[in-house]
Amino acid sequence: MSRLADLRFRAATTFQRHVGNPVLRRLPLQTVLETTGRVSGRPRQTPVGGRRVGDSFWLVSEFGEKSQYVRNIKADPRVRVRLRGRWHNGTAQLLPDDDPVARLRGLPRLNSAGVRAFGTHLLTIRVDLTD
């Protein structure tokens, strides 16, 4: 990882961990992805941007496999997604062969702009919703 990419990663994750995520996950209509911590086994909630299309929820991780929630998905793909205040169970799929830049064009603009601006290793994720 280049020095600039490492700096962007550290700045973004520090802000998200200590400021953004604690505030956003408390907002009732914020979309939240819940994974199971790969070490702790405890639920881990991360505010995300994305869009539901039929029985799937699509999102793009800005830091790919360096993201903690992506690492949790690799350990256990069973997740929950809170959409419009309602929780849905699902199974997450990492899609490294998908074009994340093209995928972002179909997702909410504000979040997509942030992911493009700060992201260093974009990775598409699809959650197949089961309820």
Side-chain angles (χ1 to χ4, degrees):
M1 181 182 293
S2 74
R3 185 177 168 150
L4 178 60
D6 186 56
L7 180 63
R8 287 180 11 197
F9 172 75
R10 288 174 188 254
T13 56
T14 298
F15 175 80
Q16 290 168 344
R17 183 174 294 127
H18 298 290
V19 179
N21 289 359
V23 172
L24 290 174
R25 71 176 150 242
R26 287 183 174 88
L27 299 176
L29 295 181
Q30 170 66 45
T31 301
V32 175
L33 175 69
E34 184 178 85
T35 61
T36 301
R38 65 193 173 283
V39 175
S40 70
R42 296 176 59 195
R44 299 296 182 199
Q45 295 183 348
T46 305
V48 295
R51 174 163 286 139
R52 183 175 184 165
V53 178
D55 289 332
S56 296
F57 178 76
W58 293 85
L59 68 146
V60 174
S61 169
E62 61 203 318
F63 300 115
E65 295 194 20
K66 284 192 76 172
S67 295
Q68 296 299 317
Y69 70 89
V70 172
R71 294 171 73 189
N72 289 342
I73 288 169
K74 286 179 77 172
D76 183 354
R78 294 172 299 170
V79 300
R80 293 193 320 155
V81 181
R82 187 177 74 192
L83 300 167
R84 298 185 182 137
R86 182 170 171 253
W87 286 101
H88 302 269
N89 295 313
T91 303
Q93 302 281 331
L94 305 179
L95 303 172
D97 294 331
D98 190 68
D99 181 350
V101 175
R103 182 70 55 196
L104 284 170
R105 289 187 204 112
L107 300 180
R109 287 185 187 163
L110 183 59
N111 179 264
S112 294
V115 169
R116 275 193 300 274
F118 293 102
T120 57
H121 293 88
L122 304 181
L123 175 64
T124 301
I125 300 168
R126 184 187 73 229
V127 178
D128 298 321
L129 303 172
T130 57
D131 62 353

Coordinates of all heavy atoms in Angstrom, one line a residue, residues 40-122:
S40 N -14.0 -11.9 18.9 CA -14.9 -11.8 20.1 C -16.1 -12.7 20.0 O -16.7 -13.0 21.0 CB -15.3 -10.4 20.3 OG -16.2 -9.9 19.3
G41 N -16.6 -12.9 18.8 CA -17.9 -13.6 18.6 C -19.1 -12.7 18.9 O -20.2 -13.1 18.9
R42 N -18.8 -11.4 19.2 CA -19.9 -10.4 19.5 C -20.4 -9.7 18.2 O -19.7 -9.6 17.3 CB -19.4 -9.4 20.5 CG -19.0 -10.1 21.8 CD -18.3 -9.1 22.8 NE -19.3 -8.0 23.0 CZ -18.9 -6.9 23.6 NH1 -17.7 -6.6 23.9 NH2 -19.8 -5.9 23.8
P43 N -21.7 -9.3 18.3 CA -22.2 -8.5 17.1 C -21.4 -7.2 16.9 O -21.1 -6.5 17.9 CB -23.6 -8.3 17.5 CG -23.9 -9.1 18.7 CD -22.7 -9.5 19.3
R44 N -21.1 -6.9 15.6 CA -20.4 -5.7 15.3 C -21.2 -5.0 14.3 O -21.5 -5.5 13.2 CB -19.0 -6.0 14.7 CG -18.1 -6.7 15.7 CD -17.8 -5.9 16.9 NE -16.9 -6.5 17.8 CZ -16.8 -6.2 19.1 NH1 -17.5 -5.2 19.6 NH2 -15.9 -6.8 19.8
Q45 N -21.6 -3.7 14.6 CA -22.5 -3.0 13.7 C -21.7 -1.9 13.0 O -21.1 -1.1 13.7 CB -23.7 -2.4 14.5 CG -24.6 -3.5 15.0 CD -25.8 -2.9 15.7 OE1 -25.9 -1.8 16.0 NE2 -26.8 -3.8 16.0
T46 N -21.9 -1.8 11.7 CA -21.2 -0.8 10.9 C -22.2 -0.1 10.0 O -22.9 -0.8 9.2 CB -20.2 -1.5 10.0 OG1 -19.3 -2.3 10.8 CG2 -19.4 -0.5 9.2
P47 N -22.3 1.2 10.1 CA -23.2 2.0 9.1 C -22.6 1.8 7.7 O -21.4 1.9 7.5 CB -23.1 3.4 9.6 CG -22.6 3.3 11.0 CD -21.8 2.1 11.1
V48 N -23.5 1.6 6.8 CA -23.0 1.4 5.4 C -24.0 2.2 4.5 O -25.1 2.5 4.8 CB -22.9 -0.1 5.0 CG1 -21.9 -0.8 5.8 CG2 -24.3 -0.8 5.1
G49 N -23.5 2.4 3.3 CA -24.4 2.9 2.2 C -24.5 1.7 1.2 O -23.6 1.0 1.0
G50 N -25.7 1.6 0.6 CA -25.9 0.6 -0.4 C -27.3 0.7 -0.8 O -28.1 1.6 -0.5
R51 N -27.8 -0.3 -1.5 CA -29.1 -0.3 -2.1 C -29.6 -1.8 -2.2 O -28.9 -2.7 -2.6 CB -29.1 0.3 -3.5 CG -30.5 0.2 -4.2 CD -30.6 1.1 -5.3 NE -30.8 2.5 -4.8 CZ -30.2 3.6 -5.3 NH1 -29.4 3.5 -6.3 NH2 -30.4 4.7 -4.7
R52 N -30.9 -1.9 -1.8 CA -31.6 -3.2 -1.9 C -32.1 -3.3 -3.4 O -32.7 -2.4 -3.9 CB -32.7 -3.3 -0.9 CG -33.4 -4.7 -1.0 CD -34.5 -4.8 0.0 NE -35.0 -6.2 -0.1 CZ -35.7 -6.7 0.9 NH1 -36.0 -6.1 2.0 NH2 -36.2 -8.0 0.7
V53 N -31.8 -4.4 -4.0 CA -32.4 -4.7 -5.3 C -33.0 -6.1 -5.2 O -32.3 -7.1 -5.1 CB -31.2 -4.7 -6.4 CG1 -31.8 -5.1 -7.7 CG2 -30.5 -3.4 -6.4
G54 N -34.3 -6.2 -5.2 CA -35.0 -7.5 -5.0 C -34.6 -8.1 -3.6 O -34.8 -7.4 -2.6
D55 N -34.1 -9.3 -3.6 CA -33.8 -10.0 -2.4 C -32.3 -9.9 -2.1 O -31.8 -10.7 -1.3 CB -34.2 -11.4 -2.5 CG -35.7 -11.6 -2.4 OD1 -36.4 -10.8 -1.9 OD2 -36.2 -12.6 -3.0
S56 N -31.7 -8.9 -2.6 CA -30.2 -8.7 -2.4 C -30.0 -7.2 -1.9 O -30.7 -6.3 -2.4 CB -29.4 -8.9 -3.6 OG -29.5 -10.3 -4.0
F57 N -28.9 -7.1 -1.1 CA -28.5 -5.7 -0.7 C -27.1 -5.6 -1.2 O -26.2 -6.5 -1.0 CB -28.5 -5.6 0.8 CG -28.0 -4.2 1.3 CD1 -28.8 -3.1 1.1 CD2 -26.8 -4.1 1.8 CE1 -28.3 -1.9 1.5 CE2 -26.3 -2.9 2.2 CZ -27.1 -1.7 2.0
W58 N -26.8 -4.5 -2.0 CA -25.4 -4.3 -2.6 C -24.7 -3.2 -1.9 O -25.3 -2.1 -1.6 CB -25.6 -4.0 -4.0 CG -26.1 -5.1 -4.9 CD1 -27.4 -5.5 -5.0 CD2 -25.3 -6.1 -5.6 NE1 -27.5 -6.6 -5.9 CE2 -26.2 -7.0 -6.2 CE3 -24.0 -6.2 -5.8 CZ2 -25.8 -8.0 -7.0 CZ3 -23.5 -7.3 -6.6 CH2 -24.5 -8.1 -7.2
L59 N -23.4 -3.3 -1.6 CA -22.6 -2.2 -1.1 C -21.2 -2.4 -1.6 O -20.8 -3.5 -2.2 CB -22.6 -2.2 0.4 CG -22.0 -3.4 1.2 CD1 -21.3 -2.9 2.4 CD2 -23.0 -4.4 1.5
V60 N -20.4 -1.4 -1.5 CA -19.0 -1.4 -1.8 C -18.2 -1.0 -0.6 O -18.4 0.1 -0.1 CB -18.7 -0.5 -3.0 CG1 -17.2 -0.4 -3.3 CG2 -19.5 -0.9 -4.3
S61 N -17.2 -1.8 -0.3 CA -16.3 -1.5 0.8 C -15.2 -0.7 0.3 O -14.6 -1.0 -0.7 CB -15.7 -2.8 1.4 OG -14.6 -2.5 2.3
E62 N -14.9 0.4 0.9 CA -13.9 1.3 0.5 C -12.4 0.8 0.7 O -11.5 1.2 -0.1 CB -14.0 2.7 1.1 CG -13.9 2.7 2.6 CD -14.6 3.9 3.2 OE1 -14.5 5.0 2.7 OE2 -15.2 3.7 4.3
F63 N -12.2 -0.1 1.6 CA -10.9 -0.6 1.9 C -10.8 -2.1 1.7 O -9.8 -2.7 2.1 CB -10.4 -0.2 3.3 CG -10.4 1.3 3.5 CD1 -11.3 1.9 4.4 CD2 -9.5 2.1 2.8 CE1 -11.2 3.3 4.5 CE2 -9.5 3.5 2.9 CZ -10.3 4.1 3.8
G64 N -11.8 -2.6 1.0 CA -11.7 -4.1 0.6 C -11.4 -5.0 1.8 O -12.1 -4.8 2.9
E65 N -10.5 -5.9 1.7 CA -10.2 -6.9 2.7 C -9.5 -6.3 3.9 O -9.3 -7.1 4.9 CB -9.5 -8.1 2.1 CG -10.4 -8.8 1.0 CD -9.9 -10.1 0.6 OE1 -9.1 -10.7 1.3 OE2 -10.3 -10.6 -0.5
K66 N -9.2 -5.1 3.9 CA -8.6 -4.4 5.1 C -9.7 -4.0 6.1 O -9.4 -3.8 7.2 CB -7.7 -3.2 4.8 CG -6.4 -3.6 4.2 CD -5.5 -2.5 4.1 CE -4.9 -2.1 5.5 NZ -3.9 -1.1 5.6
S67 N -10.9 -3.9 5.6 CA -12.1 -3.4 6.4 C -12.4 -4.5 7.4 O -12.4 -5.7 7.1 CB -13.3 -3.2 5.6 OG -13.1 -2.1 4.7
Q68 N -12.6 -4.1 8.7 CA -12.9 -5.1 9.7 C -14.1 -5.9 9.4 O -14.2 -7.1 9.6 CB -13.0 -4.4 11.1 CG -11.7 -3.7 11.5 CD -10.6 -4.7 11.7 OE1 -10.7 -5.8 12.3 NE2 -9.4 -4.4 11.2
Y69 N -15.2 -5.2 8.9 CA -16.4 -6.0 8.6 C -16.2 -7.0 7.5 O -16.8 -8.0 7.5 CB -17.6 -5.0 8.4 CG -17.6 -4.2 7.1 CD1 -18.2 -4.7 6.0 CD2 -17.1 -2.9 7.1 CE1 -18.2 -4.0 4.8 CE2 -17.2 -2.1 6.0 CZ -17.7 -2.7 4.8 OH -17.8 -1.9 3.7
V70 N -15.3 -6.7 6.5 CA -15.0 -7.6 5.5 C -14.3 -8.8 6.1 O -14.6 -10.0 5.7 CB -14.2 -7.0 4.3 CG1 -13.8 -8.0 3.3 CG2 -15.1 -5.9 3.6
R71 N -13.3 -8.6 6.9 CA -12.6 -9.7 7.6 C -13.6 -10.5 8.4 O -13.4 -11.8 8.5 CB -11.5 -9.1 8.5 CG -10.4 -8.4 7.6 CD -9.4 -7.7 8.4 NE -8.5 -8.6 9.1 CZ -7.7 -8.2 10.0 NH1 -7.5 -7.0 10.3 NH2 -6.9 -9.2 10.5
N72 N -14.6 -9.9 9.1 CA -15.6 -10.7 9.8 C -16.4 -11.5 8.9 O -16.8 -12.7 9.2 CB -16.5 -9.7 10.6 CG -15.8 -9.1 11.8 OD1 -14.7 -9.6 12.2 ND2 -16.3 -8.0 12.3
I73 N -16.8 -10.9 7.7 CA -17.6 -11.7 6.7 C -16.8 -12.9 6.2 O -17.4 -14.0 6.0 CB -18.0 -10.8 5.5 CG1 -19.1 -9.8 6.0 CG2 -18.5 -11.6 4.3 CD1 -19.4 -8.7 5.0
K74 N -15.5 -12.8 6.0 CA -14.7 -13.9 5.5 C -14.8 -15.0 6.6 O -14.8 -16.2 6.2 CB -13.3 -13.4 5.3 CG -13.2 -12.6 4.0 CD -11.7 -12.2 3.8 CE -10.9 -13.3 3.3 NZ -9.6 -12.9 2.8
A75 N -14.8 -14.7 7.9 CA -14.8 -15.7 8.9 C -16.2 -16.3 9.1 O -16.4 -17.4 9.4 CB -14.3 -15.1 10.2
D76 N -17.3 -15.5 8.9 CA -18.6 -15.9 9.0 C -19.5 -15.0 8.2 O -19.8 -13.9 8.5 CB -19.1 -15.8 10.5 CG -20.5 -16.4 10.7 OD1 -21.2 -16.7 9.8 OD2 -20.9 -16.4 11.9
P77 N -20.0 -15.6 7.0 CA -20.8 -14.7 6.1 C -22.2 -14.5 6.5 O -22.9 -13.7 5.9 CB -20.7 -15.5 4.8 CG -20.6 -16.9 5.2 CD -19.7 -16.9 6.5
R78 N -22.7 -15.1 7.6 CA -24.0 -14.8 8.1 C -24.0 -13.4 8.7 O -23.3 -13.1 9.6 CB -24.5 -15.8 9.1 CG -24.6 -17.2 8.5 CD -24.9 -18.2 9.6 NE -23.7 -18.2 10.5 CZ -23.6 -18.9 11.6 NH1 -24.6 -19.6 12.1 NH2 -22.5 -18.8 12.4
V79 N -24.9 -12.5 8.2 CA -25.0 -11.1 8.6 C -26.5 -10.8 8.8 O -27.4 -11.5 8.5 CB -24.3 -10.2 7.6 CG1 -22.9 -10.5 7.4 CG2 -25.1 -10.2 6.3
R80 N -26.6 -9.6 9.3 CA -27.9 -8.9 9.4 C -27.8 -7.5 8.8 O -26.7 -6.9 8.9 CB -28.5 -8.8 10.8 CG -28.9 -10.1 11.4 CD -29.7 -10.0 12.7 NE -29.3 -8.9 13.6 CZ -30.2 -8.3 14.4 NH1 -31.4 -8.7 14.5 NH2 -29.8 -7.3 15.2
V81 N -28.8 -7.0 8.1 CA -28.8 -5.7 7.6 C -30.0 -4.9 8.0 O -31.2 -5.5 7.9 CB -28.8 -5.7 6.0 CG1 -28.8 -4.3 5.5 CG2 -27.6 -6.5 5.5
R82 N -29.8 -3.7 8.6 CA -31.0 -2.9 9.0 C -31.3 -2.0 7.9 O -30.5 -1.1 7.5 CB -30.7 -2.2 10.3 CG -31.9 -1.4 10.8 CD -31.6 -0.7 12.1 NE -30.8 0.5 11.9 CZ -30.2 1.2 12.8 NH1 -30.3 0.8 14.0 NH2 -29.5 2.3 12.4
L83 N -32.5 -2.1 7.3 CA -32.9 -1.3 6.2 C -34.2 -0.6 6.6 O -35.2 -1.3 7.0 CB -33.2 -2.1 4.9 CG -32.0 -2.9 4.4 CD1 -32.5 -3.9 3.3 CD2 -31.1 -1.9 3.7
R84 N -34.2 0.7 6.6 CA -35.4 1.5 7.0 C -35.9 1.1 8.3 O -37.1 1.0 8.5 CB -36.5 1.4 5.9 CG -36.0 2.0 4.6 CD -37.1 2.0 3.6 NE -36.6 2.5 2.3 CZ -36.9 2.0 1.1 NH1 -37.7 1.0 1.0 NH2 -36.4 2.5 0.1
G85 N -35.0 0.8 9.2 CA -35.4 0.5 10.6 C -35.8 -1.0 10.9 O -36.1 -1.3 12.0
R86 N -35.7 -1.8 9.9 CA -36.1 -3.2 10.0 C -34.9 -4.1 9.7 O -34.2 -3.9 8.7 CB -37.2 -3.6 9.1 CG -37.7 -5.0 9.2 CD -39.0 -5.2 8.4 NE -39.3 -6.7 8.5 CZ -39.1 -7.5 7.4 NH1 -38.7 -7.0 6.3 NH2 -39.4 -8.8 7.6
W87 N -34.7 -5.1 10.6 CA -33.5 -6.0 10.4 C -33.9 -7.2 9.5 O -35.0 -7.7 9.6 CB -33.1 -6.6 11.8 CG -32.4 -5.6 12.6 CD1 -32.9 -4.9 13.7 CD2 -31.0 -5.2 12.5 NE1 -31.9 -4.0 14.2 CE2 -30.7 -4.2 13.5 CE3 -30.0 -5.6 11.6 CZ2 -29.5 -3.6 13.6 CZ3 -28.7 -5.0 11.8 CH2 -28.5 -4.0 12.7
H88 N -32.9 -7.5 8.7 CA -33.1 -8.7 7.7 C -31.9 -9.6 7.9 O -30.7 -9.1 7.9 CB -33.1 -8.2 6.3 CG -34.2 -7.2 6.0 ND1 -35.5 -7.6 5.6 CD2 -34.3 -5.9 6.1 CE1 -36.3 -6.5 5.5 NE2 -35.6 -5.5 5.8
N89 N -32.1 -10.9 7.9 CA -31.0 -11.8 8.0 C -30.5 -12.0 6.5 O -31.3 -11.9 5.6 CB -31.4 -13.2 8.5 CG -31.8 -13.1 10.0 OD1 -31.1 -12.5 10.8 ND2 -33.0 -13.6 10.3
G90 N -29.2 -12.4 6.4 CA -28.7 -12.7 5.1 C -27.3 -13.3 5.1 O -26.8 -13.5 6.2
T91 N -26.9 -13.6 3.9 CA -25.5 -14.2 3.7 C -24.8 -13.3 2.8 O -25.2 -13.0 1.7 CB -25.7 -15.6 3.1 OG1 -26.5 -16.4 4.0 CG2 -24.3 -16.3 3.0
A92 N -23.6 -12.9 3.2 CA -22.8 -11.9 2.5 C -21.9 -12.7 1.5 O -21.3 -13.7 1.9 CB -22.0 -11.0 3.4
Q93 N -21.7 -12.1 0.3 CA -20.8 -12.7 -0.7 C -19.8 -11.6 -1.1 O -20.2 -10.5 -1.5 CB -21.6 -13.1 -1.9 CG -22.7 -14.1 -1.7 CD -22.1 -15.5 -1.5 OE1 -21.1 -15.8 -2.1 NE2 -22.8 -16.3 -0.8
L94 N -18.5 -11.8 -1.0 CA -17.5 -10.9 -1.5 C -17.4 -11.2 -3.0 O -17.2 -12.3 -3.4 CB -16.2 -11.1 -0.8 CG -16.2 -11.1 0.8 CD1 -14.9 -11.3 1.4 CD2 -16.8 -9.7 1.2
L95 N -17.4 -10.1 -3.8 CA -17.4 -10.3 -5.2 C -16.2 -9.5 -5.8 O -16.3 -8.4 -6.4 CB -18.7 -9.7 -5.8 CG -20.0 -10.4 -5.3 CD1 -21.2 -9.7 -5.8 CD2 -20.0 -11.9 -5.7
P96 N -15.0 -10.1 -5.7 CA -13.8 -9.4 -6.2 C -13.8 -9.2 -7.7 O -13.1 -8.4 -8.2 CB -12.6 -10.3 -5.7 CG -13.2 -11.6 -5.5 CD -14.6 -11.4 -5.1
D97 N -14.5 -10.0 -8.5 CA -14.6 -9.9 -9.9 C -15.6 -8.9 -10.4 O -15.6 -8.6 -11.6 CB -14.9 -11.3 -10.6 CG -13.7 -12.3 -10.3 OD1 -12.6 -11.8 -10.2 OD2 -14.0 -13.5 -10.2
D98 N -16.4 -8.3 -9.5 CA -17.4 -7.3 -9.9 C -16.6 -6.0 -10.1 O -15.6 -5.7 -9.4 CB -18.5 -7.2 -8.8 CG -19.6 -6.3 -9.3 OD1 -20.3 -6.7 -10.2 OD2 -19.8 -5.2 -8.7
D99 N -17.1 -5.1 -10.9 CA -16.5 -3.8 -11.1 C -17.1 -2.8 -10.1 O -18.3 -2.3 -10.2 CB -16.8 -3.3 -12.5 CG -16.2 -1.9 -12.8 OD1 -15.7 -1.2 -11.9 OD2 -16.2 -1.5 -14.0
P100 N -16.4 -2.5 -9.0 CA -17.0 -1.7 -7.9 C -17.2 -0.2 -8.3 O -18.2 0.4 -7.8 CB -15.9 -1.8 -6.8 CG -14.6 -2.1 -7.5 CD -15.0 -2.9 -8.7
V101 N -16.4 0.3 -9.2 CA -16.7 1.7 -9.7 C -18.0 1.7 -10.5 O -18.9 2.6 -10.2 CB -15.5 2.2 -10.6 CG1 -15.8 3.6 -11.1 CG2 -14.2 2.2 -9.7
A102 N -18.3 0.8 -11.3 CA -19.5 0.7 -12.0 C -20.7 0.4 -11.0 O -21.8 1.0 -11.2 CB -19.5 -0.4 -13.1
R103 N -20.4 -0.4 -10.1 CA -21.5 -0.7 -9.1 C -21.9 0.5 -8.3 O -23.0 0.8 -8.0 CB -20.9 -1.8 -8.1 CG -21.9 -2.2 -7.0 CD -23.1 -3.0 -7.5 NE -22.7 -4.2 -8.3 CZ -23.5 -4.9 -9.1 NH1 -24.7 -4.5 -9.2 NH2 -23.0 -5.9 -9.7
L104 N -20.9 1.4 -7.9 CA -21.1 2.6 -7.2 C -22.1 3.5 -7.9 O -22.8 4.3 -7.3 CB -19.8 3.3 -6.8 CG -19.0 2.7 -5.7 CD1 -17.6 3.4 -5.7 CD2 -19.7 2.8 -4.4
R105 N -22.1 3.5 -9.2 CA -23.0 4.4 -10.0 C -24.5 4.0 -9.7 O -25.3 4.9 -9.9 CB -22.7 4.2 -11.5 CG -21.4 4.8 -11.9 CD -21.2 4.8 -13.4 NE -19.8 4.9 -13.7 CZ -19.0 3.9 -14.2 NH1 -19.6 2.8 -14.6 NH2 -17.8 4.1 -14.4
G106 N -24.8 2.8 -9.3 CA -26.1 2.4 -9.0 C -26.5 2.5 -7.5 O -27.6 2.2 -7.2
L107 N -25.6 3.0 -6.7 CA -25.8 3.1 -5.3 C -26.0 4.5 -4.9 O -25.8 5.4 -5.7 CB -24.6 2.4 -4.5 CG -24.4 1.0 -4.8 CD1 -23.2 0.5 -4.0 CD2 -25.6 0.1 -4.6
P108 N -26.5 4.8 -3.7 CA -26.8 6.2 -3.3 C -25.5 7.1 -3.5 O -24.4 6.8 -3.1 CB -27.1 6.1 -1.8 CG -27.7 4.7 -1.6 CD -26.9 3.8 -2.6
R109 N -25.8 8.3 -4.1 CA -24.7 9.2 -4.5 C -23.8 9.7 -3.4 O -22.6 9.7 -3.6 CB -25.3 10.4 -5.2 CG -25.9 10.1 -6.6 CD -26.3 11.3 -7.3 NE -27.0 11.0 -8.5 CZ -27.8 11.8 -9.1 NH1 -28.0 13.0 -8.7 NH2 -28.3 11.4 -10.3
L110 N -24.4 10.1 -2.3 CA -23.5 10.7 -1.3 C -22.5 9.7 -0.7 O -21.3 10.0 -0.6 CB -24.4 11.3 -0.1 CG -23.6 12.0 1.0 CD1 -22.8 13.1 0.4 CD2 -24.6 12.4 2.1
N111 N -23.0 8.5 -0.4 CA -22.1 7.5 0.1 C -21.1 7.1 -1.0 O -19.9 6.9 -0.7 CB -22.9 6.3 0.6 CG -22.0 5.2 1.1 OD1 -21.7 4.2 0.3 ND2 -21.5 5.3 2.3
S112 N -21.6 6.9 -2.2 CA -20.7 6.5 -3.3 C -19.6 7.5 -3.5 O -18.4 7.1 -3.8 CB -21.5 6.3 -4.6 OG -22.4 5.2 -4.4
A113 N -19.9 8.8 -3.4 CA -18.8 9.8 -3.5 C -17.8 9.7 -2.4 O -16.6 9.8 -2.7 CB -19.5 11.2 -3.5
G114 N -18.2 9.4 -1.2 CA -17.3 9.2 -0.1 C -16.4 8.0 -0.3 O -15.2 8.0 -0.1
V115 N -17.0 6.9 -0.8 CA -16.3 5.7 -1.0 C -15.2 5.9 -2.1 O -14.1 5.5 -1.9 CB -17.2 4.5 -1.3 CG1 -16.5 3.3 -1.8 CG2 -18.1 4.1 -0.1
R116 N -15.6 6.6 -3.2 CA -14.7 6.9 -4.2 C -13.5 7.8 -3.8 O -12.4 7.6 -4.1 CB -15.4 7.5 -5.4 CG -16.0 6.4 -6.4 CD -16.4 7.0 -7.7 NE -17.4 8.1 -7.6 CZ -18.7 7.9 -7.5 NH1 -19.2 6.7 -7.6 NH2 -19.5 8.9 -7.4
A117 N -13.9 8.8 -2.9 CA -12.9 9.8 -2.5 C -11.9 9.2 -1.6 O -10.7 9.5 -1.6 CB -13.6 11.0 -1.9
F118 N -12.3 8.4 -0.6 CA -11.4 7.8 0.4 C -10.9 6.4 0.1 O -9.9 6.0 0.7 CB -12.1 7.9 1.8 CG -12.3 9.3 2.3 CD1 -13.6 9.9 2.2 CD2 -11.3 10.0 2.8 CE1 -13.8 11.2 2.6 CE2 -11.4 11.3 3.2 CZ -12.7 11.9 3.2
G119 N -11.6 5.7 -0.7 CA -11.3 4.3 -0.9 C -10.0 4.0 -1.6 O -9.6 4.8 -2.4
T120 N -9.4 3.0 -1.2 CA -8.1 2.6 -1.8 C -8.1 1.2 -2.4 O -7.4 0.9 -3.3 CB -7.0 2.6 -0.7 OG1 -7.3 1.7 0.4 CG2 -6.7 4.0 -0.2
H121 N -9.0 0.3 -1.9 CA -9.2 -1.0 -2.5 C -10.7 -1.4 -2.5 O -11.1 -2.0 -1.6 CB -8.4 -2.0 -1.6 CG -6.9 -1.8 -1.7 ND1 -6.2 -1.0 -0.9 CD2 -6.0 -2.4 -2.5 CE1 -5.0 -1.0 -1.2 NE2 -4.8 -1.9 -2.2
L122 N -11.4 -0.9 -3.5 CA -12.8 -1.1 -3.5 C -13.2 -2.6 -3.7 O -12.5 -3.3 -4.5 CB -13.4 -0.2 -4.6 CG -13.1 1.3 -4.6 CD1 -13.8 2.0 -5.8 CD2 -13.5 1.9 -3.3

